[in-house]
Amino acid sequence: MNLFAKILEQKVFYVIRNQDYNVAQKFCEMLINLQVTCLELTFTIPKVELLIKTLRKKYPSILIGAGTVLTLTEAMQAAEAGAQFLVGPIFNRAISDFCHRKGLIYIPGAMTLQEVTNIVNADWEIIKIFPATAFKLNFIQTIKTFFPNKIYMASGGIDLTNLKEAKALGYDLIAVGTFVTGNINNKIIEQEKIQTIINTINLN
């Protein structure tokens, strides 16, 4: 199975966003131990490229990508660290061109039809609608009217209250973050609570 197919098979991306490197690493290790197989490590983590490299080496079967990639420099750092996909809140032409040259999977964000069109014209298959709850979740159905064959990720504001609805409305992938791993500065790791949340996500 190629990398693109493996990403589509995941369905749920667990986004790690923390300002403490050690806490972020503990969250990643805990999620992996709880059978999570796809992690998006954002550039809000100090030295995130080092964490990506460490996890890729230790867990070669886990999909590890970089998130909140806003600049070409960050894209290059993520690629060098071994990130298997790059996710951004917006579309960046320089990052797009770099990923095409390197054969990397780029998942840029959009929240308007024009932004989605720009991503489609740049020849990317997965489009992140961000923040997904800025409008009603059925916004995805309007987008799919114009580009029905693309793959859409819901990101931003997705939690257990709307996860099932997002899937039912046509989102192919879901990104979950704070409601699973806690506040960005939260240093309390509650494994039992997170296990319950993961189980609920899997049931939906």
Side-chain angles (χ1 to χ4, degrees):
M1 182 182 296
N2 63 31
L3 180 58
F4 185 77
K6 282 185 70 176
I7 287 175
L8 297 188
E9 190 179 58
Q10 297 307 307
K11 301 299 182 185
V12 179
F13 283 48
Y14 286 82
V15 182
I16 308 301
R17 182 182 299 280
N18 203 285
Q19 294 175 346
D20 185 309
Y21 180 96
N22 292 326
V23 173
Q25 183 172 14
K26 287 179 182 178
F27 271 127
C28 290
E29 299 265 4
M30 181 174 61
L31 289 171
I32 291 170
N33 289 334
L34 293 174
Q35 308 305 310
V36 166
T37 56
C38 183
L39 299 175
E40 177 189 327
L41 280 57
T42 71
F43 266 87
T44 57
I45 302 170
K47 298 182 180 178
V48 67
E49 65 275 13
L50 176 60
L51 184 54
I52 290 170
K53 186 174 183 179
T54 299
L55 293 175
R56 287 279 289 123
K57 183 176 181 180
K58 188 173 181 179
Y59 304 101
S61 64
I62 303 298
L63 285 173
I64 307 288
T68 319
V69 182
L70 289 168
T71 67
L72 179 58
T73 297
E74 290 174 342
M76 294 171 71
Q77 290 173 338
E80 187 176 352
Q84 293 165 287
F85 57 88
L86 274 61
V87 183
I90 60 172
F91 173 72
N92 181 296
R93 174 63 66 180
I95 294 174
S96 173
D97 292 344
F98 171 76
C99 288
H100 275 309
R101 288 197 305 271
K102 295 294 185 179
L104 294 170
I105 294 173
Y106 181 39
I107 307 174
M111 65 178 299
T112 68
L113 179 57
Q114 181 61 65
E115 290 172 348
V116 171
T117 301
N118 293 342
I119 294 168
V120 171
N121 290 341
D123 201 26
W124 294 107
E125 294 301 316
I126 306 175
I127 300 167
K128 167 179 159 177
I129 302 301
F130 176 82
T133 54
F135 304 106
K136 290 184 178 180
L137 281 174
N138 61 7
F139 173 65
I140 187 61
Q141 296 177 320
T142 300
I143 296 297
K144 282 195 166 187
T145 300
F146 298 96
F147 304 110
N149 298 321
K150 294 298 178 179
I151 297 154
Y152 296 93
M153 172 192 285
S155 179
I158 301 300
D159 56 28
L160 293 181
T161 68
N162 56 19
L163 175 67
K164 192 170 184 179
E165 179 188 5
K167 289 182 177 181
L169 288 169
Y171 279 104
D172 307 285
L173 303 170
I174 305 291
V176 298
T178 303
F179 87 96
V180 178
T181 59
N183 185 275
I184 190 169
N185 296 312
N186 187 2
K187 297 187 177 182
I188 300 172
I189 299 175
E190 303 175 43
Q191 182 163 327
E192 290 185 6
K193 178 181 177 181
I194 292 179
Q195 176 70 83
T196 299
I197 293 172
I198 290 172
N199 290 344
T200 305
I201 290 171
N202 291 338
L203 286 174
N204 286 315

